[in-house]
Amino acid sequence: MGSVQIVTTILAAAITAVAVWLAVRAVMKIVAVVRLGQPAPERFADRGTRTKTMLAETAGHTRMLRWSVVGAAHWFVMVGFIVLSLLVLEAYFEVVSPTGGLPLIGGLAVYGLVTELIAVLGTVGILVLIAIRVRNRPSRPGGRSRFTGSTMWQGYFVEAVVLAVLIMGFVIRGFKVATDHFEYPLWATPVSHAVGALLPDWSAGVSIAALIKIAISMTWLIVIALNVTMGVAWHRFLAFFNIFFKRDPGRAGSGLGALRPMMSQGKPLDFEEADPEKDQFGVAQVEQFTWKGLLDFSTCTECGRCQSQCPAWNTGKPLSPKLLVLSLRDHAYAKAPYLLAGGGKDLTGEEKATAAQLAHVDVLALAEAEKPLIGGAEDGGIIDPDVLWSCTTCGACVEQCPVDIEHVDHIVDMRRYQVLIESSFPSEAGVMLRNLENKGNPWGAPQNTREDWTKGLGFEVPRVGEVDDFEYLFWVGCAGAFEDRAKKTTRAVATLLNEAGVSFAILGEGETCTGDPARRIGNEFVFQMLAQQNVETLNEAFDGREKSKRKIVATCPHCFNTLGNEYGQLGGEFEVVHHTQLLAHLVSAGKLTPVQPVDGGVTYHDPCYLGRHNRVFAAPREVLGDSVQGEIVEMPRNSERSFCCGAGGARMWMEEKIGKRINVDRVEEAMSTGARTIAVGCPFCSTMLNDGVNGKGAGEQVEVVDVASVLLRSLKPADAAGEKETATSGS
């Protein structure tokens, strides 16, 4: 060992020791903060499925590759980071000796080939990611970026380190080539040999370059260790755990659908026995999120995919799912010293810690602890109320997040506390909640008018209890029973089922709201009241049938989602289909045969709670394809990336006072396709898009109509003119 190698070895050991010590301390802090969260025992169930899902999403990059160029570049960088860690390890042998290398595998040509290939592709990948970040920088001309609000220096720093480490790998190998100490042939490592041809025959160069590579790597580790909220770096380690512990690993897509039940101490809250002084009602303090929630906040990469897809953010609202998560993350870590010292408020608002426990807590942490979780700037709140209430729960953020952060659950948990404990929510939503409690529907319509939609049909609509048997229970829903446009859809579906010979029955006045708007706004009490009533009614209607024969067809995706995904939490197990699924089956089976194509072109708007939340994309398109007898004109944002109509999350009953109206944005996109018909599969979407069309004064050029009505017109063209005239006068 020469003098150069003695110096490089000492320096490499010193910087590594400092970096490792700081990294261990940082990991312990992250673990301590995550453990402050509430229990979530269900996250440890079905570990086999969780492992498969985690491996598929990480190794296969299944979520990232939805953005093909970015996903491919990131995959090569990720693989490079993992595999080329061996080259960082090898550098420790090279600082000791210019001819050093990894034992056992270090001299294998295949090892040289694989690492060379990954280094080349990793270099290309990181250059692509740098170019994308620069091109989409928030300061660029032309408006908002998905990186708006991200800590840009951290992204640039991480990418620069990756590029520098990759370059130094080639420099080390180049010096080995130049000094004739390289063990790999030209065919396996052509780039390294090309670099070697440019470098001098300097034996100390290998050790010095290896030291620089180690210094760069350890500097990166030191920087992220000193910045535990640096998600753009820490996600490399935390993402594996966050994906493993996702809410529903066996569910296709993002795991949307049902909301997480309202929990207290890791158990679903029973309102019959709940006590606000002992049980947690929603989330009022950051430590009241589950440990998985705190892990979510720690894992955020600040990539902004959620932000780029959010309908609120895209129409000038203050909500950005990314910025919400970052605010909660920064608050959690700033408050952590106070919490770890034993501080915190109990459910009555009393301080749990003694003065002695808090005596040595940093004053900034104590000040952070006094900030309300929800509050305006004048209150020093972490999350502004306008941010909280802008969410439509469309799930676009969860769908796009590459590390499976569960934004919607966290937002609804905060809403639950505001509604149930603080009684703080948009005033106009109060009318809807009172109507649900008193009338069983959000419009406050009389219950004895639930069956009025059946009047004038050319056939009798059977009621449960009046017929001995039926294949499907037709869940009409509140919109389908009371709202004029939706009643046309209800009549169309009933007519189609009758013509196809499907036996069905309705509950009539026995049906009440599923509770979806109450649950999404945060009023879990009203949801459970309505849901338990409906579960009891449905169980009675299906008495004696096994689950496979307890079939329900629903025209509203919100009812479809609640009945199928959430009533199981309350003892209601049913087979629920959306009407477009059943109609697609009837058409394919030859029981319904379209004969008259619909003219003028059709574009289809994917309802959030049918598409993203429940993965029903094909069925409505199959029905429309048969009805128009041609291609559907797709909007730029469709299927998983469909843009919300603005009605979800109980926003249907709240005023949209900030920014551009979401429904207008969507209507403009639909009209840009040139289609004369905008087909929908949801009564909420129908209302919102109709309002958007009327707001733009485009009622003569474009018509919004349900998929069922499109199919009915193609079966009965003679009725189309009359139906359209009725629809126009009704709106």
Side-chain angles (χ1 to χ4, degrees):
M1 181 185 291
S3 58
V4 170
Q5 284 71 41
I6 292 173
V7 172
T8 56
T9 301
I10 292 172
L11 291 175
I15 193 171
T16 301
V18 172
V20 170
W21 177 73
L22 290 173
V24 169
R25 191 182 67 168
V27 169
M28 292 174 64
K29 182 174 182 180
I30 292 172
V31 171
V33 170
V34 170
R35 292 184 65 185
L36 288 168
Q38 300 302 304
E42 73 279 3
R43 303 287 182 167
F44 294 93
D46 201 0
R47 299 186 183 189
T49 301
R50 292 183 180 280
T51 302
K52 291 177 185 176
T53 301
M54 183 269 289
L55 291 174
E57 288 195 23
T58 52
H61 255 43
T62 54
R63 305 293 286 279
M64 288 290 296
L65 286 172
R66 291 174 183 173
W67 299 48
S68 53
V69 173
V70 177
H74 190 276
W75 188 86
F76 287 122
V77 172
M78 180 197 74
V79 172
F81 177 80
I82 295 171
V83 175
L84 299 184
S85 295
L86 292 172
L87 294 186
V88 176
L89 177 61
E90 188 174 31
Y92 285 94
F93 292 91
E94 292 162 340
V95 294
V96 176
S97 169
T99 61
L102 283 178
L104 301 179
I105 63 172
L108 300 176
V110 66
Y111 171 74
L113 173 63
V114 169
T115 50
E116 183 92 349
L117 181 62
I118 291 175
V120 170
L121 294 175
T123 302
V124 173
I126 198 64
L127 289 172
V128 169
L129 294 181
I130 291 171
I132 290 171
R133 187 176 294 271
V134 171
R135 187 185 66 194
N136 291 285
R137 66 193 184 280
S139 59
R140 83 195 194 291
R144 290 177 165 183
S145 157
R146 68 183 175 95
F147 292 116
T148 299
S150 298
T151 314
M152 293 301 288
W153 76 263
Q154 294 180 353
Y156 290 131
F157 170 75
V158 168
E159 288 164 348
V161 165
V162 171
L163 181 60
V165 168
L166 289 167
I167 290 173
M168 291 312 300
F170 286 117
V171 171
I172 293 170
R173 287 185 164 187
F175 273 121
K176 283 189 171 183
V177 170
T179 57
D180 201 25
H181 291 136
F182 197 44
E183 57 267 65
Y184 305 115
L186 174 63
W187 64 266
T189 53
V191 176
S192 297
H193 278 83
V195 172
L198 302 175
L199 295 176
D201 181 359
W202 182 34
S203 59
V206 175
S207 297
I208 292 173
L211 174 63
I212 294 172
K213 182 174 183 175
I214 291 170
I216 293 171
S217 300
M218 292 304 108
T219 298
W220 175 81
L221 192 56
I222 290 169
V223 170
I224 73 168
L226 295 174
N227 293 273
V228 291
T229 59
M230 193 171 175
V232 70
W234 281 106
H235 85 275
R236 296 176 177 218
F237 310 107
L238 299 179
F240 298 99
F241 299 98
N242 211 51
I243 295 170
F244 179 87
F245 289 116
K246 69 187 291 186
R247 178 153 63 86
D248 194 352
R251 187 178 177 85
S254 57
L256 289 161
L259 274 175
R260 186 171 178 269
M262 194 164 169
M263 310 287 281
S264 180
Q265 294 301 312
K267 298 178 182 178
L269 194 66
D270 183 349
F271 277 94
E272 293 183 1
E273 300 178 0
D275 181 351
E277 293 188 2
K278 298 178 181 178
D279 294 301
Q280 181 179 315
F281 280 54
V283 169
Q285 304 288 337
V286 72
E287 65 271 20
Q288 291 178 348
F289 288 106
T290 66
W291 61 260
K292 173 57 169 65
L294 296 176
L295 180 60
D296 273 357
F297 308 152
S298 303
T299 309
C300 179
T301 71
E302 303 189 25
C303 66
R305 284 171 179 77
C306 58
Q307 183 171 284
S308 72
Q309 303 297 301
C310 178
W313 177 261
N314 277 283
T315 53
K317 314 293 189 292
L319 168 64
S320 157
K322 177 187 71 177
L323 298 181
L324 179 140
V325 166
L326 297 186
S327 296
L328 293 171
R329 178 198 68 189
D330 293 344
H331 173 58
Y333 280 87
K335 188 178 179 181
Y338 159 77
L339 295 172
L340 292 171
K345 302 291 195 301
D346 63 21
L347 295 174
T348 64
E350 295 296 321
E351 176 60 57
K352 293 186 288 187
T354 64
Q357 286 177 297
L358 300 180
H360 302 291
V361 175
D362 184 82
V363 66
L364 295 177
L366 292 173
E368 192 74 22
E370 294 302 315
K371 293 181 179 179
L373 190 66
I374 306 298
E378 66 280 2
D379 302 316
I382 305 304
I383 305 298
D384 190 276
D386 284 334
V387 169
L388 187 67
W389 297 110
S390 292
C391 179
T392 67
T393 69
C394 71
C397 49
V398 183
E399 178 72 33
Q400 290 299 324
C401 181
V403 294
D404 283 306
I405 293 171
E406 297 161 5
H407 315 73
V408 172
D409 282 342
H410 304 321
I411 288 171
V412 172
D413 270 340
M414 290 186 284
R415 285 183 171 188
R416 284 166 169 164
Y417 181 84
Q418 294 300 305
V419 172
L420 294 171
I421 302 300
E422 298 290 336
S423 296
S424 176
F425 50 87
S427 58
E428 60 271 21
V431 177
M432 178 269 292
L433 290 172
R434 287 192 296 273
N435 285 336
L436 286 177
E437 287 191 77
N438 300 327
K439 299 290 187 178
N441 68 84
W443 285 277
Q447 186 71 356
N448 61 10
T449 63
R450 266 197 184 270
E451 300 178 35
D452 284 0
W453 65 270
T454 64
K455 295 176 181 178
L457 289 174
F459 56 93
E460 188 70 24
V461 176
R463 280 73 174 167
V464 172
E466 297 177 359
V467 289
D468 295 332
D469 194 23
F470 55 89
E471 184 179 3
Y472 286 94
L473 189 151
F474 180 16
W475 185 272
V476 176
C478 299
F482 301 121
E483 204 273 328
D484 287 340
R485 297 187 191 95
K487 282 195 281 188
K488 295 179 177 65
T489 300
T490 307
R491 290 167 65 88
V493 171
T495 301
L496 290 166
L497 296 181
N498 182 67
E499 292 205 2
V502 176
S503 62
F504 68 95
I506 63 171
L507 288 172
E509 293 183 27
E511 182 180 299
T512 190
C513 180
T514 60
D516 165 85
R519 183 168 236 199
R520 265 70 194 169
I521 203 173
N523 197 324
E524 186 75 4
F525 176 78
V526 171
F527 164 73
Q528 290 202 21
M529 178 186 74
L530 295 168
Q532 286 168 354
Q533 178 181 335
N534 282 326
V535 167
E536 184 178 338
T537 300
L538 289 168
N539 283 340
E540 184 179 340
F542 289 121
D543 186 39
R545 298 193 193 190
E546 61 269 27
K547 182 181 177 181
S548 62
K549 294 185 179 179
R550 296 157 67 92
K551 297 180 181 179
I552 300 175
V553 57
T555 57
C556 175
H558 298 265
C559 296
F560 166 66
N561 178 70
T562 305
L563 292 166
N565 294 327
E566 298 187 337
Y567 275 17
Q569 299 168 2
L570 300 168
E573 296 289 339
F574 314 109
E575 291 288 339
V576 188
V577 297
H578 188 251
H579 72 284
T580 59
Q581 293 175 296
L582 182 54
L583 294 178
H585 168 71
L586 295 174
V587 171
S588 66
K591 294 184 178 181
L592 294 172
T593 306
V595 294
Q596 178 70 33
V598 176
D599 296 328
V602 174
T603 189
Y604 175 64
H605 163 78
D606 288 274
C608 301
Y609 274 82
L610 183 64
R612 257 191 307 272
H613 281 270
N614 285 284
R615 322 306 298 173
V616 179
F617 302 115
R621 288 175 168 80
E622 290 168 4
V623 175
L624 291 171
D626 289 322
S627 300
V628 302
Q629 298 182 18
E631 291 293 321
I632 301 167
V633 186
E634 294 283 7
M635 288 183 249
R637 294 176 290 193
N638 64 78
S639 303
E640 288 93 344
R641 292 195 188 182
S642 178
F643 196 70
C644 182
C645 74
R651 290 290 324 171
M652 179 85 168
W653 291 274
M654 292 184 248
E655 292 295 327
E656 196 169 347
K657 301 174 183 176
I658 304 173
K660 184 179 182 181
R661 295 185 67 87
I662 294 172
N663 59 338
V664 171
D665 191 292
R666 185 57 165 169
V667 163
E668 290 174 351
E669 184 175 5
M671 292 178 64
S672 72
T673 66
R676 294 291 305 274
T677 300
I678 304 173
V680 297
C682 171
F684 289 6
C685 296
S686 176
T687 296
M688 298 299 285
L689 297 186
N690 262 299
D691 289 350
V693 168
N694 292 335
K696 292 191 68 66
E700 294 299 318
Q701 293 98 2
V702 181
E703 182 188 14
V704 180
V705 64
D706 190 87
V707 171
S709 295
V710 175
L711 176 59
L712 183 60
R713 291 177 185 181
S714 71
L715 295 178
K716 292 187 168 186
D719 295 344
E723 183 186 334
K724 187 169 182 177
E725 182 180 343
T726 305
T728 305
S729 61
S731 60

